[in-house]
Amino acid sequence: MELYLDQVRPIEKTVAIFTPGMDDLFGFNSFTSREPGWSKDNKLRQDFDKAESMGIAKVFEYNWSGNILDYFKAEDDFIVFLQERYEFAKKWGADSITISVHSAGNALSYKAINTLTEWMKRDEIEMKINIVGMGSPAAESGKAFSLITNETKGQFRNFWSPFDFISRPTASNPDSQMILSGHGGYFNNFDVIQADLSIAIGRDVTIGY
């Protein structure tokens, strides 16, 4: 992968976070247990790793089992995880935190992201929150994400697909963009990757493979 930035080094640095949804039969398999490193085989993660090698991103993966029985614990654990990344972002001098969330990860991450805005207000920190939703079944969290990103001068983009019935409830969101993908294909979709990177670093990015 190559990133083409019109010969302009981006001025925005981002802390990028990847957050998954359910795994294995939508989480209803009691033996579901997602392994750490789940994002590393995806093109979206690999392209953000390239941005990290350029000094414009720091990439983190949130891992939880993907088992529906662990959902509420994972929701609370993500608050702790996000607080640690927020503290890192302040020390690193990040311009933004970019959170890419898939499927049920959209609803799971809402409480933590809303808490993040409270920390930023408390600390009087100006930092953009960017959110990229993929295959989300949660229309209400999408509406909330629009408000949060507008408040912090960040961006929200929601991707849905007519081939992904889980994502259809978010199709009417004004920040939604239709792509052609199955539910598991968003992390490897060219349109998602290009938009996610562009939002994260504040520059239109052209990707060449």
Side-chain angles (χ1 to χ4, degrees):
M1 184 274 294
E2 297 292 339
L3 296 180
Y4 300 97
L5 302 172
D6 297 326
Q7 298 181 342
V8 177
R9 183 174 178 81
I11 60 172
E12 295 188 7
K13 300 194 302 181
T14 194
V15 168
I17 298 170
F18 298 101
T19 307
M22 302 293 186
D23 199 12
D24 292 348
L25 300 176
F26 306 104
F28 289 95
N29 180 346
S30 61
F31 295 102
T32 294
S33 182
R34 183 186 290 111
E35 294 297 322
W38 62 268
S39 66
K40 291 184 178 180
D41 292 332
N42 297 316
K43 289 181 180 178
L44 179 63
R45 167 64 187 270
Q46 292 166 2
D47 288 0
F48 266 93
D49 284 343
K50 178 68 174 182
E52 182 170 41
S53 72
M54 298 167 63
I56 57 178
K58 293 291 184 180
V59 184
F60 299 96
E61 168 194 281
Y62 179 63
N63 187 56
W64 67 289
S65 69
N67 191 319
I68 194 170
L69 299 176
D70 298 328
Y71 178 89
F72 292 108
K73 181 179 185 301
E75 186 180 38
D76 290 335
D77 288 348
F78 189 57
I79 296 176
V80 177
F81 176 92
L82 190 57
Q83 184 176 26
E84 292 172 350
R85 274 64 196 177
Y86 167 60
E87 295 299 329
F88 172 85
K90 289 192 296 182
K91 293 177 182 178
W92 186 54
D95 299 288
S96 68
I97 295 176
T98 301
I99 305 169
S100 302
V101 286
H102 179 247
S103 192
N106 284 263
L108 180 149
S109 64
Y110 168 70
K111 184 163 68 171
I113 295 173
N114 190 55
T115 305
L116 173 60
T117 64
E118 296 173 3
W119 296 330
M120 291 169 58
K121 290 176 183 176
R122 176 199 65 195
D123 298 338
E124 298 182 343
I125 293 291
E126 292 187 7
M127 187 184 300
K128 296 179 182 178
I129 298 175
N130 300 315
I131 304 170
V132 176
M134 299 171 279
S136 173
E140 290 305 313
S141 63
K143 294 175 183 177
F145 288 160
S146 295
L147 295 174
I148 288 171
T149 53
N150 286 336
E151 182 180 344
T152 63
K153 300 181 181 178
Q155 294 188 60
F156 170 58
R157 186 80 55 84
N158 176 71
F159 289 95
W160 76 283
S161 170
F163 301 126
D164 174 19
F165 73 92
I166 294 173
S167 71
R168 291 179 186 173
T170 66
S172 61
N173 187 300
D175 295 300
S176 288
Q177 177 178 334
M178 187 186 76
I179 61 170
L180 301 180
S181 174
H183 189 64
Y186 292 90
F187 282 98
N188 293 296
N189 181 274
F190 180 87
D191 291 327
V192 173
I193 295 168
Q194 186 156 283
D196 204 334
L197 281 166
S198 297
I199 289 170
I201 66 174
R203 289 281 191 277
D204 289 333
V205 175
T206 302
I207 303 171
Y209 290 99

